[in-house]
Amino acid sequence: MKIIIIRRQVLIQIAIILVLIAVVLLILHQTGTVALGVFFAPNKELPIYSVDVPDKRIAISFDASWGAEQTDQLLKILKERNIKTTFFLVGIWIDKYPDKVKAIANDGHEIGNHSNTHPHMNKLSEQEIRDELDKVSQKIEALTGKKTTLFRPPFGEYNDKVVRTARAAGYEVVQWDVDSLDWKNYGVDDEVDRVLKKVRNGSIVLFHNDAEYTPQALPIILDKLIQDGYKIVPISELIYPPPYYIDHTGRQFKSEDADM
């Protein structure tokens, strides 16, 4: 009987530990610290979350899905510092704000594909995924004359089918490793601290084009990053072209077979 009691106690302790670990990971995921899909499914097809670079280069990105009131101010802030970034645009946003799309492109920023209708891509068929990508690509090319080569899944959601379909269509699938959580409107100080504490060489930082406090937080963040020696580039200038590999955390590495 003693042996059975000991085993039960051990099982209870293990169960408690597992529950605690799950709770901690869930909290980290909700605060933008970790992507659960990366760690719980290491063999799945992964987007690029960050890049292993030898220097202090990072990329800043903005997702544009709904409003546009802050966009001109953000472009002004970036232009004053001669910084080029990447804007991921949704097709329905492009339809509503074509002049903003042209302004983003005219200022030299890179434009990426963020789907046409901002759906949950995991629920779509391969053909539906291709349609979402193709419609946005056509809209952006019609307004800017340039094709899109980067894709960010809406809601940060993806599965093997989404990644493989996007890659087959000629896209690099890109996520982020530093989330400002600006859309939650926690305030300027929170946004600044959240980004500056997590950024590192090769980081991809996520903002949104219409978050309430980003126009106030962004200058502080940019000036501090510049002061610390970071060079901010569009995502396409940060990531490696094939051949490359991505580790279980989503960090992209240059393949040993790549030209040095």
Side-chain angles (χ1 to χ4, degrees), residues 151-205:
F151 169 59
R152 173 170 286 162
F155 309 104
E157 295 178 355
Y158 62 89
N159 55 21
D160 289 354
K161 179 174 59 179
V162 172
V163 176
R164 288 171 182 164
T165 302
R167 286 177 177 160
Y171 288 92
E172 291 289 0
V173 186
V174 179
Q175 296 281 73
W176 60 87
D177 69 324
V178 180
D179 191 346
S180 67
L181 291 182
D182 55 353
W183 61 276
K184 289 181 178 282
N185 296 326
Y186 288 145
V188 174
D189 291 342
D190 181 272
E191 194 169 325
V192 170
D193 291 344
R194 190 177 299 276
V195 172
L196 294 180
K197 286 179 179 178
K198 296 176 183 177
V199 75
R200 57 172 174 159
N201 293 4
S203 280
I204 298 174
V205 186

Side-chain angles (χ1 to χ4, degrees), residues 73-225:
Q73 181 63 20
L74 295 179
L75 291 176
K76 180 175 181 291
I77 292 167
L78 295 168
K79 180 180 288 188
E80 289 172 346
R81 292 159 178 79
N82 194 30
I83 291 174
K84 308 302 180 186
T85 64
T86 303
F87 282 76
F88 287 93
L89 307 184
V90 171
I92 53 178
W93 190 89
I94 294 170
D95 294 338
K96 193 172 182 179
Y97 305 106
D99 290 343
K100 303 296 184 188
V101 179
K102 292 178 181 179
I104 291 168
N106 289 339
D107 278 2
H109 298 288
E110 181 173 50
I111 295 179
N113 193 320
H114 198 34
S115 81
N116 188 51
T117 62
H118 208 269
H120 293 276
M121 302 288 282
N122 293 3
K123 299 179 180 180
L124 304 184
S125 68
E126 288 187 13
Q127 185 58 54
E128 289 171 331
I129 294 170
R130 286 193 292 268
D131 289 344
E132 285 283 331
L133 295 172
D134 290 345
K135 288 177 181 178
V136 174
S137 178
Q138 293 169 11
K139 291 175 182 180
I140 292 173
E141 187 171 3
L143 289 170
T144 70
K146 296 181 179 180
K147 292 185 177 181
T148 54
T149 60
L150 303 177
F151 169 59
R152 173 170 286 162
F155 309 104
E157 295 178 355
Y158 62 89
N159 55 21
D160 289 354
K161 179 174 59 179
V162 172
V163 176
R164 288 171 182 164
T165 302
R167 286 177 177 160
Y171 288 92
E172 291 289 0
V173 186
V174 179
Q175 296 281 73
W176 60 87
D177 69 324
V178 180
D179 191 346
S180 67
L181 291 182
D182 55 353
W183 61 276
K184 289 181 178 282
N185 296 326
Y186 288 145
V188 174
D189 291 342
D190 181 272
E191 194 169 325
V192 170
D193 291 344
R194 190 177 299 276
V195 172
L196 294 180
K197 286 179 179 178
K198 296 176 183 177
V199 75
R200 57 172 174 159
N201 293 4
S203 280
I204 298 174
V205 186
L206 170 64
F207 292 99
H208 294 80
N209 73 302
D210 205 40
E212 180 178 354
Y213 296 105
T214 297
Q216 300 171 59
L218 187 62
I220 301 171
I221 292 170
L222 294 178
D223 291 344
K224 178 59 176 174
L225 290 173

